[in-house]
PDB file of all heavy atoms in Angstrom:
ATOM      1  N   PHE A 217      89.343 110.330  91.043  1.00  0.00           N
ATOM      2  CA  PHE A 217      88.174 109.462  91.121  1.00  0.00           C
ATOM      3  C   PHE A 217      88.565 108.008  90.950  1.00  0.00           C
ATOM      4  O   PHE A 217      89.542 107.688  90.294  1.00  0.00           O
ATOM      5  CB  PHE A 217      87.193 109.812  89.991  1.00  0.00           C
ATOM      6  CG  PHE A 217      86.382 111.041  90.263  1.00  0.00           C
ATOM      7  CD1 PHE A 217      86.770 112.259  89.743  1.00  0.00           C
ATOM      8  CD2 PHE A 217      85.239 110.973  91.017  1.00  0.00           C
ATOM      9  CE1 PHE A 217      86.011 113.401  89.978  1.00  0.00           C
ATOM     10  CE2 PHE A 217      84.482 112.095  91.251  1.00  0.00           C
ATOM     11  CZ  PHE A 217      84.868 113.316  90.737  1.00  0.00           C
ATOM     12  N   HIS A 218      87.752 107.150  91.521  1.00  0.00           N
ATOM     13  CA  HIS A 218      87.885 105.734  91.221  1.00  0.00           C
ATOM     14  C   HIS A 218      87.564 105.523  89.761  1.00  0.00           C
ATOM     15  O   HIS A 218      86.682 106.172  89.206  1.00  0.00           O
ATOM     16  CB  HIS A 218      86.932 104.911  92.093  1.00  0.00           C
ATOM     17  CG  HIS A 218      87.366 104.817  93.512  1.00  0.00           C
ATOM     18  ND1 HIS A 218      87.956 103.694  94.027  1.00  0.00           N
ATOM     19  CD2 HIS A 218      87.311 105.710  94.515  1.00  0.00           C
ATOM     20  CE1 HIS A 218      88.240 103.887  95.299  1.00  0.00           C
ATOM     21  NE2 HIS A 218      87.847 105.111  95.610  1.00  0.00           N
ATOM     22  N   ASN A 219      88.257 104.588  89.138  1.00  0.00           N
ATOM     23  CA  ASN A 219      88.018 104.311  87.730  1.00  0.00           C
ATOM     24  C   ASN A 219      86.577 103.834  87.541  1.00  0.00           C
ATOM     25  O   ASN A 219      86.170 102.827  88.116  1.00  0.00           O
ATOM     26  CB  ASN A 219      88.992 103.224  87.255  1.00  0.00           C
ATOM     27  CG  ASN A 219      88.889 102.981  85.774  1.00  0.00           C
ATOM     28  OD1 ASN A 219      87.848 102.572  85.284  1.00  0.00           O
ATOM     29  ND2 ASN A 219      89.970 103.234  85.067  1.00  0.00           N
ATOM     30  N   PRO A 220      85.768 104.534  86.717  1.00  0.00           N
ATOM     31  CA  PRO A 220      84.363 104.137  86.537  1.00  0.00           C
ATOM     32  C   PRO A 220      84.208 102.726  86.009  1.00  0.00           C
ATOM     33  O   PRO A 220      83.258 102.033  86.344  1.00  0.00           O
ATOM     34  CB  PRO A 220      83.847 105.176  85.525  1.00  0.00           C
ATOM     35  CG  PRO A 220      84.721 106.364  85.730  1.00  0.00           C
ATOM     36  CD  PRO A 220      86.085 105.799  86.048  1.00  0.00           C
ATOM     37  N   GLY A 221      85.146 102.285  85.158  1.00  0.00           N
ATOM     38  CA  GLY A 221      85.057 100.915  84.659  1.00  0.00           C
ATOM     39  C   GLY A 221      85.156  99.895  85.771  1.00  0.00           C
ATOM     40  O   GLY A 221      84.429  98.906  85.801  1.00  0.00           O
ATOM     41  N   HIS A 222      86.064 100.167  86.742  1.00  0.00           N
ATOM     42  CA  HIS A 222      86.186  99.259  87.881  1.00  0.00           C
ATOM     43  C   HIS A 222      84.918  99.289  88.735  1.00  0.00           C
ATOM     44  O   HIS A 222      84.454  98.249  89.225  1.00  0.00           O
ATOM     45  CB  HIS A 222      87.390  99.664  88.731  1.00  0.00           C
ATOM     46  CG  HIS A 222      88.693  99.498  88.005  1.00  0.00           C
ATOM     47  ND1 HIS A 222      89.879 100.014  88.478  1.00  0.00           N
ATOM     48  CD2 HIS A 222      88.990  98.873  86.841  1.00  0.00           C
ATOM     49  CE1 HIS A 222      90.850  99.718  87.631  1.00  0.00           C
ATOM     50  NE2 HIS A 222      90.332  99.031  86.628  1.00  0.00           N
ATOM     51  N   LEU A 223      84.369 100.477  88.930  1.00  0.00           N
ATOM     52  CA  LEU A 223      83.146 100.578  89.717  1.00  0.00           C
ATOM     53  C   LEU A 223      81.994  99.855  89.026  1.00  0.00           C
ATOM     54  O   LEU A 223      81.159  99.214  89.672  1.00  0.00           O
ATOM     55  CB  LEU A 223      82.784 102.051  89.929  1.00  0.00           C
ATOM     56  CG  LEU A 223      83.757 102.861  90.788  1.00  0.00           C
ATOM     57  CD1 LEU A 223      83.285 104.295  90.883  1.00  0.00           C
ATOM     58  CD2 LEU A 223      83.900 102.254  92.170  1.00  0.00           C
ATOM     59  N   ARG A 224      81.957  99.955  87.694  1.00  0.00           N
ATOM     60  CA  ARG A 224      80.891  99.275  86.954  1.00  0.00           C
ATOM     61  C   ARG A 224      81.014  97.761  87.107  1.00  0.00           C
ATOM     62  O   ARG A 224      80.027  97.051  87.316  1.00  0.00           O
ATOM     63  CB  ARG A 224      80.958  99.666  85.478  1.00  0.00           C
ATOM     64  CG  ARG A 224      79.795  99.125  84.655  1.00  0.00           C
ATOM     65  CD  ARG A 224      79.914  99.534  83.199  1.00  0.00           C
ATOM     66  NE  ARG A 224      79.867 100.967  83.048  1.00  0.00           N
ATOM     67  CZ  ARG A 224      80.906 101.717  82.707  1.00  0.00           C
ATOM     68  NH1 ARG A 224      82.073 101.154  82.467  1.00  0.00           N
ATOM     69  NH2 ARG A 224      80.797 103.021  82.585  1.00  0.00           N
ATOM     70  N   MET A 225      82.253  97.253  87.019  1.00  0.00           N
ATOM     71  CA  MET A 225      82.475  95.818  87.207  1.00  0.00           C
ATOM     72  C   MET A 225      82.041  95.392  88.604  1.00  0.00           C
ATOM     73  O   MET A 225      81.444  94.334  88.786  1.00  0.00           O
ATOM     74  CB  MET A 225      83.953  95.500  86.984  1.00  0.00           C
ATOM     75  CG  MET A 225      84.402  95.636  85.533  1.00  0.00           C
ATOM     76  SD  MET A 225      86.178  95.412  85.363  1.00  0.00           S
ATOM     77  CE  MET A 225      86.346  93.720  85.966  1.00  0.00           C
ATOM     78  N   TRP A 226      82.362  96.243  89.585  1.00  0.00           N
ATOM     79  CA  TRP A 226      81.985  95.907  90.967  1.00  0.00           C
ATOM     80  C   TRP A 226      80.464  95.876  91.113  1.00  0.00           C
ATOM     81  O   TRP A 226      79.905  94.985  91.760  1.00  0.00           O
ATOM     82  CB  TRP A 226      82.593  96.915  91.926  1.00  0.00           C
ATOM     83  CG  TRP A 226      82.241  96.638  93.346  1.00  0.00           C
ATOM     84  CD1 TRP A 226      81.221  97.170  94.065  1.00  0.00           C
ATOM     85  CD2 TRP A 226      82.885  95.706  94.220  1.00  0.00           C
ATOM     86  NE1 TRP A 226      81.197  96.649  95.323  1.00  0.00           N
ATOM     87  CE2 TRP A 226      82.196  95.747  95.454  1.00  0.00           C
ATOM     88  CE3 TRP A 226      83.981  94.849  94.075  1.00  0.00           C
ATOM     89  CZ2 TRP A 226      82.584  94.969  96.527  1.00  0.00           C
ATOM     90  CZ3 TRP A 226      84.354  94.076  95.157  1.00  0.00           C
ATOM     91  CH2 TRP A 226      83.660  94.140  96.366  1.00  0.00           C
ATOM     92  N   SER A 227      79.771  96.838  90.504  1.00  0.00           N
ATOM     93  CA  SER A 227      78.318  96.919  90.640  1.00  0.00           C
ATOM     94  C   SER A 227      77.623  95.729  90.006  1.00  0.00           C
ATOM     95  O   SER A 227      76.499  95.396  90.361  1.00  0.00           O
ATOM     96  CB  SER A 227      77.799  98.214  90.005  1.00  0.00           C
ATOM     97  OG  SER A 227      77.941  98.166  88.603  1.00  0.00           O
ATOM     98  N   GLN A 228      78.278  95.079  89.044  1.00  0.00           N
ATOM     99  CA  GLN A 228      77.688  93.926  88.370  1.00  0.00           C
ATOM    100  C   GLN A 228      78.043  92.611  89.054  1.00  0.00           C
ATOM    101  O   GLN A 228      77.543  91.562  88.662  1.00  0.00           O
ATOM    102  CB  GLN A 228      78.160  93.881  86.912  1.00  0.00           C
ATOM    103  CG  GLN A 228      77.665  95.060  86.086  1.00  0.00           C
ATOM    104  CD  GLN A 228      78.279  95.096  84.704  1.00  0.00           C
ATOM    105  OE1 GLN A 228      79.424  94.684  84.515  1.00  0.00           O
ATOM    106  NE2 GLN A 228      77.529  95.568  83.735  1.00  0.00           N
ATOM    107  N   SER A 229      78.892  92.667  90.053  1.00  0.00           N
ATOM    108  CA  SER A 229      79.336  91.440  90.714  1.00  0.00           C
ATOM    109  C   SER A 229      78.394  91.067  91.852  1.00  0.00           C
ATOM    110  O   SER A 229      77.654  91.905  92.366  1.00  0.00           O
ATOM    111  CB  SER A 229      80.758  91.631  91.266  1.00  0.00           C
ATOM    112  OG  SER A 229      80.727  92.438  92.431  1.00  0.00           O
ATOM    113  N   PRO A 230      78.415  89.803  92.292  1.00  0.00           N
ATOM    114  CA  PRO A 230      77.567  89.379  93.421  1.00  0.00           C
ATOM    115  C   PRO A 230      77.975  90.031  94.735  1.00  0.00           C
ATOM    116  O   PRO A 230      77.248  89.937  95.719  1.00  0.00           O
ATOM    117  CB  PRO A 230      77.796  87.856  93.469  1.00  0.00           C
ATOM    118  CG  PRO A 230      78.346  87.493  92.139  1.00  0.00           C
ATOM    119  CD  PRO A 230      79.137  88.679  91.677  1.00  0.00           C
ATOM    120  N   LEU A 231      79.130  90.686  94.768  1.00  0.00           N
ATOM    121  CA  LEU A 231      79.644  91.279  96.008  1.00  0.00           C
ATOM    122  C   LEU A 231      79.316  92.750  96.125  1.00  0.00           C
ATOM    123  O   LEU A 231      79.879  93.448  96.969  1.00  0.00           O
ATOM    124  CB  LEU A 231      81.165  91.088  96.073  1.00  0.00           C
ATOM    125  CG  LEU A 231      81.651  89.638  95.996  1.00  0.00           C
ATOM    126  CD1 LEU A 231      83.162  89.609  95.819  1.00  0.00           C
ATOM    127  CD2 LEU A 231      81.245  88.865  97.241  1.00  0.00           C
ATOM    128  N   ARG A 232      78.391  93.252  95.275  1.00  0.00           N
ATOM    129  CA  ARG A 232      78.157  94.691  95.235  1.00  0.00           C
ATOM    130  C   ARG A 232      77.606  95.265  96.529  1.00  0.00           C
ATOM    131  O   ARG A 232      77.691  96.464  96.758  1.00  0.00           O
ATOM    132  CB  ARG A 232      77.200  95.019  94.087  1.00  0.00           C
ATOM    133  CG  ARG A 232      75.843  94.322  94.185  1.00  0.00           C
ATOM    134  CD  ARG A 232      74.979  94.661  92.978  1.00  0.00           C
ATOM    135  NE  ARG A 232      73.718  93.934  92.987  1.00  0.00           N
ATOM    136  CZ  ARG A 232      73.561  92.733  92.460  1.00  0.00           C
ATOM    137  NH1 ARG A 232      74.582  92.146  91.874  1.00  0.00           N
ATOM    138  NH2 ARG A 232      72.390  92.123  92.496  1.00  0.00           N
ATOM    139  N   SER A 233      77.021  94.418  97.400  1.00  0.00           N
ATOM    140  CA  SER A 233      76.487  94.931  98.668  1.00  0.00           C
ATOM    141  C   SER A 233      77.582  95.223  99.687  1.00  0.00           C
ATOM    142  O   SER A 233      77.336  95.844 100.703  1.00  0.00           O
ATOM    143  CB  SER A 233      75.491  93.923  99.264  1.00  0.00           C
ATOM    144  OG  SER A 233      76.127  92.676  99.525  1.00  0.00           O
ATOM    145  N   TRP A 234      78.810  94.772  99.412  1.00  0.00           N
ATOM    146  CA  TRP A 234      79.939  95.041 100.299  1.00  0.00           C
ATOM    147  C   TRP A 234      80.505  96.425 100.021  1.00  0.00           C
ATOM    148  O   TRP A 234      80.420  96.938  98.901  1.00  0.00           O
ATOM    149  CB  TRP A 234      81.052  94.016 100.072  1.00  0.00           C
ATOM    150  CG  TRP A 234      80.852  92.714 100.760  1.00  0.00           C
ATOM    151  CD1 TRP A 234      79.854  91.814 100.547  1.00  0.00           C
ATOM    152  CD2 TRP A 234      81.697  92.138 101.754  1.00  0.00           C
ATOM    153  NE1 TRP A 234      80.020  90.724 101.332  1.00  0.00           N
ATOM    154  CE2 TRP A 234      81.143  90.887 102.093  1.00  0.00           C
ATOM    155  CE3 TRP A 234      82.865  92.555 102.387  1.00  0.00           C
ATOM    156  CZ2 TRP A 234      81.725  90.067 103.036  1.00  0.00           C
ATOM    157  CZ3 TRP A 234      83.441  91.732 103.325  1.00  0.00           C
ATOM    158  CH2 TRP A 234      82.868  90.508 103.649  1.00  0.00           C
ATOM    159  N   ASP A 235      81.116  97.011 101.037  1.00  0.00           N
ATOM    160  CA  ASP A 235      81.958  98.181 100.825  1.00  0.00           C
ATOM    161  C   ASP A 235      83.238  97.689 100.143  1.00  0.00           C
ATOM    162  O   ASP A 235      83.936  96.829 100.686  1.00  0.00           O
ATOM    163  CB  ASP A 235      82.293  98.831 102.177  1.00  0.00           C
ATOM    164  CG  ASP A 235      83.128 100.090 102.011  1.00  0.00           C
ATOM    165  OD1 ASP A 235      84.066 100.082 101.190  1.00  0.00           O
ATOM    166  OD2 ASP A 235      82.853 101.066 102.729  1.00  0.00           O
ATOM    167  N   PRO A 236      83.569  98.179  98.948  1.00  0.00           N
ATOM    168  CA  PRO A 236      84.749  97.679  98.238  1.00  0.00           C
ATOM    169  C   PRO A 236      86.038  97.792  99.037  1.00  0.00           C
ATOM    170  O   PRO A 236      86.897  96.927  98.950  1.00  0.00           O
ATOM    171  CB  PRO A 236      84.799  98.550  96.973  1.00  0.00           C
ATOM    172  CG  PRO A 236      83.395  98.999  96.772  1.00  0.00           C
ATOM    173  CD  PRO A 236      82.832  99.175  98.155  1.00  0.00           C
ATOM    174  N   HIS A 237      86.163  98.874  99.827  1.00  0.00           N
ATOM    175  CA  HIS A 237      87.390  99.047 100.601  1.00  0.00           C
ATOM    176  C   HIS A 237      87.498  98.002 101.704  1.00  0.00           C
ATOM    177  O   HIS A 237      88.565  97.425 101.942  1.00  0.00           O
ATOM    178  CB  HIS A 237      87.429 100.452 101.195  1.00  0.00           C
ATOM    179  CG  HIS A 237      87.431 101.538 100.161  1.00  0.00           C
ATOM    180  ND1 HIS A 237      86.287 102.196  99.783  1.00  0.00           N
ATOM    181  CD2 HIS A 237      88.429 102.037  99.391  1.00  0.00           C
ATOM    182  CE1 HIS A 237      86.584 103.080  98.846  1.00  0.00           C
ATOM    183  NE2 HIS A 237      87.868 103.004  98.578  1.00  0.00           N
ATOM    184  N   VAL A 238      86.360  97.737 102.379  1.00  0.00           N
ATOM    185  CA  VAL A 238      86.357  96.697 103.416  1.00  0.00           C
ATOM    186  C   VAL A 238      86.640  95.339 102.797  1.00  0.00           C
ATOM    187  O   VAL A 238      87.411  94.528 103.335  1.00  0.00           O
ATOM    188  CB  VAL A 238      85.001  96.687 104.160  1.00  0.00           C
ATOM    189  CG1 VAL A 238      84.927  95.502 105.118  1.00  0.00           C
ATOM    190  CG2 VAL A 238      84.799  97.991 104.915  1.00  0.00           C
ATOM    191  N   PHE A 239      86.015  95.072 101.645  1.00  0.00           N
ATOM    192  CA  PHE A 239      86.239  93.798 100.952  1.00  0.00           C
ATOM    193  C   PHE A 239      87.711  93.633 100.591  1.00  0.00           C
ATOM    194  O   PHE A 239      88.277  92.546 100.742  1.00  0.00           O
ATOM    195  CB  PHE A 239      85.385  93.740  99.689  1.00  0.00           C
ATOM    196  CG  PHE A 239      85.566  92.479  98.889  1.00  0.00           C
ATOM    197  CD1 PHE A 239      84.966  91.300  99.284  1.00  0.00           C
ATOM    198  CD2 PHE A 239      86.353  92.476  97.747  1.00  0.00           C
ATOM    199  CE1 PHE A 239      85.139  90.132  98.557  1.00  0.00           C
ATOM    200  CE2 PHE A 239      86.533  91.322  97.007  1.00  0.00           C
ATOM    201  CZ  PHE A 239      85.921  90.148  97.422  1.00  0.00           C
ATOM    202  N   LEU A 240      88.339  94.717 100.112  1.00  0.00           N
ATOM    203  CA  LEU A 240      89.753  94.657  99.751  1.00  0.00           C
ATOM    204  C   LEU A 240      90.608  94.330 100.965  1.00  0.00           C
ATOM    205  O   LEU A 240      91.533  93.523 100.893  1.00  0.00           O
ATOM    206  CB  LEU A 240      90.187  95.990  99.133  1.00  0.00           C
ATOM    207  CG  LEU A 240      91.664  96.088  98.717  1.00  0.00           C
ATOM    208  CD1 LEU A 240      91.982  95.041  97.644  1.00  0.00           C
ATOM    209  CD2 LEU A 240      91.974  97.487  98.199  1.00  0.00           C
TER     210      LEU A 240
END
Side-chain angles (χ1 to χ4, degrees):
F217 282 97
H218 287 257
N219 185 298
H222 295 168
L223 294 179
R224 186 180 298 109
M225 290 174 61
W226 180 265
S227 69
Q228 295 173 328
S229 75
L231 303 170
R232 59 182 176 272
S233 61
W234 279 63
D235 182 317
H237 299 97
V238 173
F239 179 78
L240 179 61

